[in-house]
Each structure stands twice: as structure tokens, then as C-alpha cells.
Amino acid sequence: MVVLSAGSLIPADGDLLEAKDFFVNQAVLTAKPSWLRKKPGTVPANASLAERTNCAFTGTSAASGTAHILVVQNGRDNRIRPGGGASETAPPRLSSNRGIRHFGNLLTQVMLVMVVVVLGVNIF
């Protein structure tokens, strides 16, 4: 059994035994920030991972509240990525990430030019 509270990274797949105002950030499952209230109980057998409100999954994080989960699967047997470890394909690069990376490179280049200019002025 694992005790989780706000800010905890969920270390293994598990079923909720107890929960009090327990919300989980499931961005790993839905590819967008989404907080879902988790509570003990039953869900339909054909529910997707993102719709299972009675389970917590490896890699998600507790946004608020507290919960006790019974570990069902961990390591290489987790439900999100069978085989565990890093995924075999790289995540798609978003245009915002490319823009931020380009801006960071531009700032680095400007800083290097400024350092050379200030050093040159001080030496002269």
C-alpha cells in the first residue's frame, strides 16, 4: 500500500482504497493537462485508462488531496507503457517548443556577442 498526497509522483499502478479530495494530473494519459477526481469504487470494464476514476497510474502526479492505493502493477508491467522504461518513439515536437528553443539560442548568441564587446572595450 502506498500513501499519496498533493505533489506526489505516483510510483506504480494501483487501485484506490481510500481517497479524500484526491485529484490526479493525467497529462501522461491524455497529452494535455487534465485533473481528474479519483475515488474508490467500480468503473465499467470497457473504460479507457483516462476514464478509470478508481485507479492511479505510473507517471501521473497527485494534484491535491490524499489517497491510499494498493499497488497492482509496477516496473515493466505498468498499464501505460507495456515494457516500461523510455518509450521507443520520441514525443512529437510542438511548434511552441521549437519557438522557445529558437528564442533560447538567439539569447545565447546575443549574450556571447555582448561579452566579447564588453571584453574588447575593457581591454582597449
Side-chain angles (χ1 to χ4, degrees), residues 22-38 49-51 60-64:
F22 190 59
F23 286 81
V24 174
N25 180 354
Q26 296 199 145
V28 172
L29 298 175
T30 61
K32 60 183 177 182
S34 63
W35 292 270
L36 181 65
R37 183 183 184 101
K38 298 287 190 165
L49 290 180
E51 296 169 338
T60 58
S61 60
S64 67

Side-chain angles (χ1 to χ4, degrees), residues 43-87:
V43 294
N46 61 350
S48 70
L49 290 180
E51 296 169 338
R52 293 182 185 264
T53 58
N54 65 342
C55 298
F57 302 105
T58 304
T60 58
S61 60
S64 67
T66 59
H68 296 256
I69 66 168
L70 177 65
V71 174
V72 177
Q73 296 173 325
N74 69 5
R76 294 193 173 279
D77 298 326
N78 68 55
R79 295 177 192 162
I80 295 175
R81 290 176 293 172
S87 62

Side-chain angles (χ1 to χ4, degrees), residues 104-120:
N105 289 339
L106 178 65
L107 286 177
T108 302
Q109 292 170 357
V110 169
M111 180 200 58
L112 289 174
V113 168
M114 288 177 63
V115 166
V116 169
V117 168
V118 169
L119 184 64

